[in-house]
């Protein structure tokens, strides 16, 4: 397997609005990020993935961009950006930008022109269609509830928005759109950024003729039908030829609805498209009858089966992203671990061990390295995220669910769980801001915060630090082949890695009780690389609740 820096890196995702506020307006900003670079350097990460910082009316917190080449007012200026970039580079940290080009904001100048008349030169930058029998042109539902079409009076036509009505979809079949996007990307590369995380890039090639989709619920068709469209690989290859191949970048495609076969194309090791895919099958496993809005725990056997499929399926032919958390996912300790005082830290470390010892590039989402947990939401009024709010009203008002049936699921899965401010210390507002935070701080910050964890040797933070250091030390952690053990065990996640005669055994007890487990002969006098408990002997064959360890043998 070819060795490259982006395979050996650990990425840290920053959601700027919630990371650090430098000027007391309650909103995180670029200078806030710059002020925390030493914290990240100490953690040992190589790359920052910066969620969008471009000009935006913030209907979807920056994922609705009105100017790709300017900075959002609340976040600062282009000078602040340049300073952050050079300060990061000075510390050996790379910056990967979020590239949101499936759609723009409806306030982007391209859309303002496109909307203005049927024969505007930019009309065909977006999807405009006549209504069908006085209704939407097809049955597609938006990812954020309701129809994916919005009627526009100016020309008596509808436009397509797979996300919010303030996020109209760009028409990638139009070569002029592709050129605009590629030129804009080139200008960012010339500025010296280190890569792109490509938002919902699997959705850019819409099915020809925009046909109805299979019904996803009683109301709307499944807009997942737009994923992996006929021309998506052609467009990404063109982007690769015209932009990506000219620079040494890290590129990751957020690929909703990607299959293993498709992933092998997006992240092919010939390098004609992207470096890696970021896929969601494993974080969809705790959904249920109420779609993703369920309070079910993540079931371990299907999780093992799924992660194993991706580990083995891409080995040698493509490259995985390893993640449990991002700005769209609730906190993983609640989903897979135990948020109680007794087990929160142990289970957070167990989860981290399980993920960070796999093949792929690991992602740490801000606060994950502290074992941050979900927010105790009490009412729909506590939410800021449009996905959660829309889902609540659609499910209760249009689909007839009782609020008491659906609220717990929405509270449990809401993206706002990941978006509460970063918990820096135990001062008011967790040291995130001196003003009023845009989204409430989790009241547990007095207990869970960075200042306390950075100096405590056995903290979750220092455990992540060690995991990252191990990946930088042992090739086998980056490149080794993966093999699952005990596939049917509903509580133990055990796997091995192997590379040129070296071996790794990874053992994680995902239960809140003791389990028996004895490592195989070949590992018994191996070297323990890391463990989350140290008050017992591994070779006594007993695993404590959420115990995890890694043994290296050669
Ligand atoms: C991606 C982003 C998400 C955003 C959506 C629309 O899934 O991660 O936050 O809402 O795309 O841009
Ligand atoms: Ca601010």
């Amino acid at each position: 397997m070819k060795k490259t820096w982006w395979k050996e890196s650990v990425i840290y995702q920053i959601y700027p609005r919630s990371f650090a506020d430098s000027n007391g307006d309650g909103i995180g900003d670029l200078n806030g990020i710059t002020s925390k670079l030493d914290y990240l350097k100490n953690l040992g990460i190589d790359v920052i993935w910066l969620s969008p910082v471009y000009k935006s009316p913030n209907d979807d917190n920056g994922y609705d961009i009105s100017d790709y080449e300017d900075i959002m007012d609340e976040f600062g200026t282009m000078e602040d950006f340049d300073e952050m970039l050079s300060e990061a580079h000075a510390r050996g940290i790379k910056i990967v930008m979020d590239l949101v080009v499936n759609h723009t904001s409806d306030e982007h100048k391209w859309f303002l022109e496109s909307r203005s008349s049927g024969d505007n030169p930019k009309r065909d930058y977006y999807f405009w269609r006549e209504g069908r029998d006085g209704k939407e042109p097809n049955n597609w539902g938006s990812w954020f509830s309701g129809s994916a079409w919005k009627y526009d009076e100016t020309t008596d036509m509808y436009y397509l928005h797979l996300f919010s009505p303030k996020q109209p979809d760009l028409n990638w079949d139009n070569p002029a759109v592709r050129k605009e996007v590629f030129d804009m990307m080139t200008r960012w590369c010339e500025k010296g950024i280190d890569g792109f995380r490509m938002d919902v890039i699997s959705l850019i090639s819409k099915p020809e003729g925009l046909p109805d989709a299979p019904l996803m619920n009683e109301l709307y068709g499944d807009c997942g039908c737009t994923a992996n469209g006929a021309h998506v690989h052609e467009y990404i290859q063109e982007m690769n030829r015209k932009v990506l191949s000219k620079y040494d970048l890290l590129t990751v495609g957020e690929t909703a609805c990607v299959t293993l076969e498709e992933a092998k194309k997006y992240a092919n090791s010939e390098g004609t498209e992207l470096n890696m895919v970021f896929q969601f099958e494993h974080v969809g496993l705790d959904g249920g009858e109420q779609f993703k809005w369920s309070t079910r725990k993540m079931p371990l056997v299907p999780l093992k089966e799924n992660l194993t499929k991706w580990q083995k399926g891409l080995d040698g032919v493509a490259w995985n992203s390893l993640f449990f958390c991002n700005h769209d996912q609730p906190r993983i300790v609640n989903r897979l671990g135990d948020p109680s005082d007794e087990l929160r830290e142990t289970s957070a470390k167990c989860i981290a061990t399980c993920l960070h010892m796999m093949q792929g590039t690991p992602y740490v989402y801000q606060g994950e390295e502290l074992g941050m947990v979900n927010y105790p939401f009490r009412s729909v009024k506590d939410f800021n995220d449009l996905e959660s709010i829309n889902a609540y009203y659609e499910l209760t008002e249009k689909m007839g669910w009782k609020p008491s049936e659906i609220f717990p699921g929405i509270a449990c899965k809401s993206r706002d769980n990941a978006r509460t401010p970063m918990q820096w210390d135990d001062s008011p507002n967790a040291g995130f801001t001196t003003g009023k935070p845009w989204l409430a701080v989790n009241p547990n910050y007095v207990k869970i915060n960075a200042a306390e964890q950075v100096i405590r040797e056995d903290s979750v933070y220092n455990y992540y630090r060690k995991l990252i250091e191990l990946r930088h030390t042992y090739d086998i952690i980056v490149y080794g082949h993966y093999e699952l053990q005990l596939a049917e065990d509903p509580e133990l996640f055990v796997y091995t890695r192997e590379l040129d005669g070296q071996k790794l055994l990874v053992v994680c007890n995902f239960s809140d009780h003791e389990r028996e487990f004895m490592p195989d002969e070949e590992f018994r006098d191996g070297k323990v690389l890391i463990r989350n408990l140290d008050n017992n002997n591994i070779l006594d064959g007993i695993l404590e609740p959420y115990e995890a360890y890694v043994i290296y043998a050669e």
Side-chain angles (χ1 to χ4, degrees):
M1 194 183 301
K2 219 175 122 213
K3 296 192 169 178
T4 63
W5 64 267
W6 46 263
K7 289 180 181 163
E8 297 167 8
S9 293
V10 176
I11 301 181
Y12 187 92
Q13 185 193 349
I14 291 183
Y15 194 69
R17 180 164 284 268
S18 305
F19 192 61
D21 174 22
S22 70
N23 62 354
D25 66 354
I27 298 175
D29 46 52
L30 294 174
N31 290 337
I33 296 172
T34 307
S35 74
K36 299 296 183 186
L37 289 170
D38 287 331
Y39 168 87
L40 298 176
K41 180 71 193 162
N42 183 56
L43 182 58
I45 56 104
D46 307 278
V47 177
I48 291 171
W49 150 22
L50 199 58
S51 275
V53 295
Y54 316 94
K55 198 69 90 213
S56 164
N58 281 308
D59 188 52
D60 187 19
N61 287 348
Y63 283 90
D64 48 319
I65 297 169
S66 54
D67 187 342
Y68 291 103
E69 301 187 49
D70 203 353
I71 300 294
M72 192 190 298
D73 292 332
E74 295 94 318
F75 289 177
T77 62
M78 197 54 95
E79 287 70 49
D80 298 335
F81 179 89
D82 293 340
E83 159 138 350
M84 179 198 66
L85 184 66
S86 75
E87 289 295 319
H89 285 169
R91 289 166 178 79
I93 296 175
K94 295 179 156 50
I95 302 270
V96 162
M97 302 292 283
D98 218 311
L99 182 77
V100 188
V101 288
N102 172 70
H103 44 267
T104 66
S105 162
D106 66 339
E107 297 178 35
H108 193 287
K109 61 178 192 261
W110 301 338
F111 189 76
L112 297 178
E113 282 190 50
S114 181
R115 168 185 251 171
S116 65
S117 78
D119 55 13
N120 183 280
K122 294 210 166 35
R123 184 65 168 180
D124 202 28
Y125 271 37
Y126 297 85
F127 295 94
W128 291 98
R129 295 290 183 275
E130 306 274 349
R132 187 171 64 178
D133 312 325
K135 291 216 218 75
E136 290 81 15
N138 71 22
N139 73 352
W140 297 357
S142 147
W143 291 77
F144 292 158
S145 303
S147 166
W149 293 94
K150 180 156 163 88
Y151 176 71
D152 194 54
E153 269 179 355
T154 324
T155 52
D156 186 29
M157 281 172 94
Y158 291 79
Y159 67 86
L160 178 68
H161 61 88
L162 292 184
F163 294 89
S164 113
K166 288 189 66 64
Q167 293 167 301
D169 280 57
L170 280 169
N171 174 14
W172 274 70
D173 297 328
N174 181 344
V177 167
R178 302 203 296 277
K179 183 168 183 336
E180 298 262 22
V181 171
F182 299 158
D183 289 351
M184 173 272 286
M185 291 172 71
T186 299
R187 288 188 289 271
W188 277 102
C189 291
E190 287 299 321
K191 221 171 161 33
I193 59 124
D194 304 290
F196 296 106
R197 173 269 185 185
M198 302 183 187
D199 194 68
V200 291
I201 201 70
S202 54
L203 307 184
I204 59 174
S205 168
K206 292 356 182 220
E208 176 130 27
L210 312 183
D212 275 343
L215 272 189
M216 147 180 88
N217 58 37
E218 293 137 52
L219 303 170
Y220 299 109
D222 179 3
C223 64
C225 72
T226 63
N228 314 309
H231 302 287
V232 70
H233 297 291
E234 180 187 318
Y235 297 157
I236 296 179
Q237 284 164 24
E238 182 185 347
M239 177 199 284
N240 183 299
R241 275 195 316 276
K242 295 190 171 154
V243 187
L244 309 178
S245 61
K246 306 212 161 108
Y247 304 89
D248 184 22
L249 302 174
L250 184 153
T251 55
V252 48
E254 190 207 22
T255 43
C257 309
V258 72
T259 59
L260 199 59
E261 289 320 303
E262 284 295 323
K264 288 181 191 169
K265 300 183 202 159
Y266 287 114
N268 71 72
S269 46
E270 280 82 66
T272 58
E273 297 193 17
L274 306 175
N275 295 157
M276 58 189 113
V277 288
F278 199 94
Q279 63 82 27
F280 296 93
E281 283 182 356
H282 61 301
V283 288
L285 294 172
D286 53 6
E289 231 182 278
Q290 305 169 317
F291 317 104
K292 81 178 220 186
W293 311 109
S294 118
T295 53
R296 259 185 356 125
K297 262 279 174 85
M298 231 183 226
L300 199 71
V301 171
L303 179 68
K304 294 197 287 188
E305 193 185 329
N306 186 267
L307 291 175
T308 301
K309 176 182 99 177
W310 285 92
Q311 284 292 294
K312 295 181 73 79
L314 297 195
D315 189 5
V317 291
W319 195 250
N320 273 304
S321 299
L322 304 174
F323 80 98
F324 278 136
C325 300
N326 77 4
H327 65 294
D328 296 328
Q329 301 292 326
R331 296 287 177 179
I332 193 62
V333 175
N334 297 77
R335 298 175 94 170
L336 192 54
D338 185 329
S340 71
D341 280 350
E342 281 116 69
L343 289 172
R344 186 182 58 81
E345 291 217 335
T346 311
S347 66
K349 294 172 188 170
C350 176
I351 293 166
T353 311
C354 180
L355 192 73
H356 280 246
M357 288 297 129
M358 289 187 183
Q359 189 189 77
T361 299
Y363 290 67
V364 180
Y365 175 71
Q366 63 187 48
E368 178 184 346
E369 77 279 20
L370 307 176
M372 275 178 63
V373 298
N374 282 353
Y375 184 87
F377 294 108
R378 281 209 219 92
S379 117
V380 65
K381 291 193 198 72
D382 294 339
F383 296 132
N384 168 275
D385 173 32
L386 80 176
E387 185 198 30
S388 314
I389 297 169
N390 293 352
Y392 179 83
Y393 289 113
E394 178 160 299
L395 291 167
T396 53
E397 288 171 7
K398 294 202 196 144
M399 295 187 65
W401 291 84
K402 289 204 195 82
S404 60
E405 285 170 339
I406 200 70
F407 183 76
I410 299 186
C412 171
K413 290 293 173 55
S414 173
R415 307 195 296 179
D416 283 333
N417 285 301
R419 301 177 179 185
T420 62
M422 179 71 176
Q423 295 168 202
W424 292 108
D425 58 38
D426 64 2
S427 70
N429 297 316
F432 162 72
T433 180
T434 54
K436 185 179 178 310
W438 73 278
L439 186 65
V441 175
N442 196 313
N444 65 20
Y445 73 89
V446 185
K447 254 186 340 209
I448 306 176
N449 64 66
E452 188 274 331
Q453 293 203 23
V454 168
I455 53 174
R456 175 164 55 89
E457 211 184 312
D458 70 349
S459 66
V460 179
Y461 174 89
N462 279 311
Y463 195 86
Y464 269 86
R465 194 167 168 245
K466 192 152 179 212
L467 285 171
I468 295 168
E469 195 180 296
L470 285 172
R471 177 166 287 262
H472 290 151
T473 313
Y474 289 86
D475 262 5
I476 184 173
I477 299 178
V478 179
Y479 297 105
H481 308 293
Y482 165 103
E483 210 59 65
L484 182 68
Q485 315 289 321
L486 310 177
E488 298 305 322
D489 193 302
E491 296 169 343
L492 300 188
F493 200 144
V494 178
Y495 61 88
T496 55
R497 305 282 304 278
E498 184 275 317
L499 187 75
D500 306 328
Q502 309 162 61
K503 280 197 142 199
L504 215 57
L505 172 69
V506 181
V507 179
C508 303
N509 176 11
F510 277 96
S511 81
D512 59 6
H513 47 264
E514 282 186 359
R515 282 290 311 263
E516 284 182 21
F517 179 83
M518 183 59 108
D520 277 350
E521 204 64 67
E522 54 180 330
F523 289 107
R524 293 202 194 142
D525 44 37
K527 180 170 168 199
V528 178
L529 296 188
I530 190 166
R531 56 186 306 200
N532 65 351
L533 297 171
D534 53 13
N535 50 359
N536 64 348
N537 177 355
I538 286 175
L539 296 183
D540 69 5
I542 303 289
L543 293 169
E544 303 284 322
Y546 290 100
E547 178 166 355
Y549 60 75
V550 179
I551 305 180
Y552 173 84
E554 42 181 2

